[in-house]
């Protein structure tokens, strides 16, 4: 079994799809579908941070069991809940900043185009 097959098997064992997995570990959408072989250390690190019970020896070299037995089994759902909450907070803050940025751009345009405005002074 190849690395990518083991990764997909792990994702399926966690009861989620590839897209959800990609979101959780910070991969771009479709990353796993495009994957031809193994991945770099940084990407593996992201996976282990979110899924600490995944046995990297199994994922990389197919040695041992898929899951580390020393890690609590409910850790994945706890991690997913925390990440969902943080992602929601991040998105909300992102939209707030976008709206603030839009308002500032409108204000700048008003100042530039206002009566008697010297465009070179702005």
């Amino acid at each position: 079994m190849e690395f990518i097959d083991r990764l997909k098997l792990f994702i399926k064992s966690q009861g989620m799809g590839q897209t959800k997995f990609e979101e959780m570990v910070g991969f771009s959408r479709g990353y796993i579908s495009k994957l031809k072989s193994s991945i770099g250390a940084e990407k593996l690190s992201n996976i282990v941070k979110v899924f600490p019970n995944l046995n990297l020896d199994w994922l990389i070299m197919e040695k041992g069991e898929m899951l580390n037995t020393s890690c609590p089994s409910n850790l994945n759902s706890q991690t997913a809940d925390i990440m969902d909450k943080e992602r929601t907070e991040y998105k909300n803050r992102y939209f707030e900043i976008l709206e603030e940025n839009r308002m500032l751009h409108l204000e700048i345009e008003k100042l530039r185009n206002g009566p008697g405005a010297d465009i070179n002074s702005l």
Side-chain angles (χ1 to χ4, degrees), residues 52-53 67-73 75:
N53 64 332
L67 302 176
N68 291 321
T69 56
S70 62
C71 195
S73 61
L75 196 53

Side-chain angles (χ1 to χ4, degrees), residues 14-41:
Q14 298 303 297
M16 67 179 72
Q18 289 181 21
T19 302
K20 175 73 172 173
F21 178 83
E22 290 164 341
E23 288 174 9
M24 289 180 71
V25 298
F27 293 0
S28 61
R29 178 170 267 182
Y31 177 83
I32 293 173
S33 296
K34 297 174 189 167
L35 194 61
K36 302 265 188 263
S37 60
S38 188
I39 58 177

